[in-house]
Amino acid sequence: RPKWNRKDNPLEWYAFPLFSEGYRRMMHWYAIDIWSFFQDHNKDTGCNYEYIMRFDEDSFLHSPIKYDVFDFMKSNDYNYGFRLCAYEMGVTRRIWNMWRSAGPPPPKRDIELDMCGIYNNFFVAKIEFFLTGPVQRFLGFIDRHGMIYRRRLGDLMIHSMTVYAFSEPQKIHRFLDFTYEHGTADKTTGCVVWGGIQAGYNDVDAEATLGKYMEEKVTGKGCTANVSFPTQDNLSPTYQHLPDRLNGKVKLKTIVAGKVELPGKGLLSG
């Protein structure tokens, strides 16, 4: 544990033991530790890792990506790339207000509680961006307040605040071209209760893939899900960078549960 959490009694932590200490360590790793780890690794080994990608073991790529993701990020000078939105930013109210009250320079974008939270079970990030002075001061502030362990302030929320507040908008990218799935299932019913699947605009088999998902993971198990067809206005218009051939228009079938990919969010989707 960080030194400011060492004397904590876990029984006093929010949502413990539902979210274990190991789970909170994982959040701390992805939110705080990973950036200095790669900085130190580069120094110790002579390597020069510039970008890192997370792809969870319960995430699924359902269509090919016919380009090098890291080359794509570097050639466009993107700081961060993500795929889906989860609307969980309400829990950031306290820590964000504390940070703004501390008098830092104005953020690139202020945090709104009903905006897209970067569903970071898949992300691609530029290490150098997270090691900049302003970002490190912010992450240090977050860490020192101990809320990752005590309040389950997740890496999703911390990544979202960091990226929105400190990155130029044109350097944030939302991938929409490949079909992606990530969901959390109830251990008793097997129903997905958070997350799901969204088609990608380059996937010619998307309809069949989502149809199979619906049959096997929703109707076939007696579960329920939200089915929608969000268009470009609700798919992070600030960060989507659609190719010219789409003429600024896209519609992606989405099957989800929980507060993931909520329709009608407009600019709040990113």
Side-chain angles (χ1 to χ4, degrees), residues 92-197:
T92 66
R93 180 197 301 270
R94 181 180 176 187
I95 194 67
W96 182 250
N97 286 343
M98 289 169 63
W99 169 251
R100 296 291 286 125
S101 297
K108 305 286 186 184
R109 181 177 182 177
D110 209 353
I111 301 302
E112 300 177 66
L113 301 182
D114 54 351
M115 72 194 309
C116 164
I118 294 167
Y119 202 27
N120 67 330
N121 34 73
F122 164 79
F123 72 82
V124 189
K126 188 175 186 179
I127 298 170
E128 182 181 46
F129 165 73
F130 279 88
L131 291 173
T132 58
V135 170
Q136 281 294 295
R137 285 191 289 274
F138 177 67
L139 294 180
F141 179 89
I142 294 282
D143 193 17
R144 288 191 301 276
H145 281 81
M147 292 187 185
I148 297 175
Y149 281 80
R150 294 173 191 145
R151 301 301 303 164
R152 203 190 78 80
L153 182 67
D155 47 300
L156 180 158
M157 299 84 169
I158 296 170
H159 276 214
S160 303
M161 289 188 288
T162 302
V163 171
Y164 292 146
F166 296 99
S167 178
E168 297 87 345
Q170 67 272 20
K171 293 189 177 185
I172 305 169
H173 178 68
R174 180 167 178 183
F175 291 92
L176 296 171
D177 53 313
F178 54 84
T179 298
Y180 177 75
E181 174 190 349
H182 180 89
T184 301
D186 183 277
K187 293 181 180 179
T188 302
T189 65
C191 293
V192 174
V193 294
W194 197 269
I197 188 171

Side-chain angles (χ1 to χ4, degrees), residues 25-267:
R25 287 176 181 169
M26 177 273 293
M27 295 192 302
H28 194 278
W29 161 256
Y30 280 116
I32 307 295
D33 301 324
I34 194 170
W35 319 113
S36 59
F37 171 85
F38 276 96
Q39 181 183 46
D40 293 341
H41 183 75
N42 283 345
K43 290 178 181 178
D44 293 342
T45 64
C47 296
N48 186 30
Y49 289 106
E50 298 178 71
Y51 287 88
I52 56 173
M53 180 172 72
R54 174 182 179 180
F55 198 98
D56 279 6
E57 61 181 9
D58 52 354
S59 295
F60 299 93
L61 178 67
H62 286 285
S63 62
I65 301 176
K66 298 182 179 179
Y67 55 90
D68 186 300
V69 170
F70 298 106
D71 286 344
F72 172 79
M73 293 288 292
K74 184 174 182 178
S75 64
N76 287 286
D77 195 24
Y78 291 144
N79 289 328
Y80 197 92
F82 68 103
R83 182 64 184 85
L84 296 178
C85 282
Y87 291 88
E88 303 180 68
M89 294 298 287
V91 300
T92 66
R93 180 197 301 270
R94 181 180 176 187
I95 194 67
W96 182 250
N97 286 343
M98 289 169 63
W99 169 251
R100 296 291 286 125
S101 297
K108 305 286 186 184
R109 181 177 182 177
D110 209 353
I111 301 302
E112 300 177 66
L113 301 182
D114 54 351
M115 72 194 309
C116 164
I118 294 167
Y119 202 27
N120 67 330
N121 34 73
F122 164 79
F123 72 82
V124 189
K126 188 175 186 179
I127 298 170
E128 182 181 46
F129 165 73
F130 279 88
L131 291 173
T132 58
V135 170
Q136 281 294 295
R137 285 191 289 274
F138 177 67
L139 294 180
F141 179 89
I142 294 282
D143 193 17
R144 288 191 301 276
H145 281 81
M147 292 187 185
I148 297 175
Y149 281 80
R150 294 173 191 145
R151 301 301 303 164
R152 203 190 78 80
L153 182 67
D155 47 300
L156 180 158
M157 299 84 169
I158 296 170
H159 276 214
S160 303
M161 289 188 288
T162 302
V163 171
Y164 292 146
F166 296 99
S167 178
E168 297 87 345
Q170 67 272 20
K171 293 189 177 185
I172 305 169
H173 178 68
R174 180 167 178 183
F175 291 92
L176 296 171
D177 53 313
F178 54 84
T179 298
Y180 177 75
E181 174 190 349
H182 180 89
T184 301
D186 183 277
K187 293 181 180 179
T188 302
T189 65
C191 293
V192 174
V193 294
W194 197 269
I197 188 171
Q198 185 173 78
Y201 61 72
N202 276 344
D203 183 8
V204 297
D205 298 317
E207 185 60 35
T209 298
L210 271 73
K212 182 178 179 182
Y213 177 94
M214 190 73 178
E215 180 179 345
E216 293 183 353
K217 297 191 176 184
V218 184
T219 57
K221 291 185 175 183
C223 306
T224 59
N226 303 314
V227 181
S228 62
F229 295 83
T231 61
Q232 64 280 350
D233 293 338
N234 294 301
L235 290 165
S236 306
T238 310
Y239 312 127
Q240 59 192 213
H241 307 115
L242 296 176
D244 292 340
R245 62 181 173 81
L246 295 178
N247 296 315
K249 296 182 178 181
V250 67
K251 181 165 69 173
L252 303 179
K253 186 174 183 178
T254 304
I255 305 171
V256 292
K259 295 181 179 180
V260 177
E261 290 304 313
L262 297 179
K265 286 292 185 176
L267 286 174

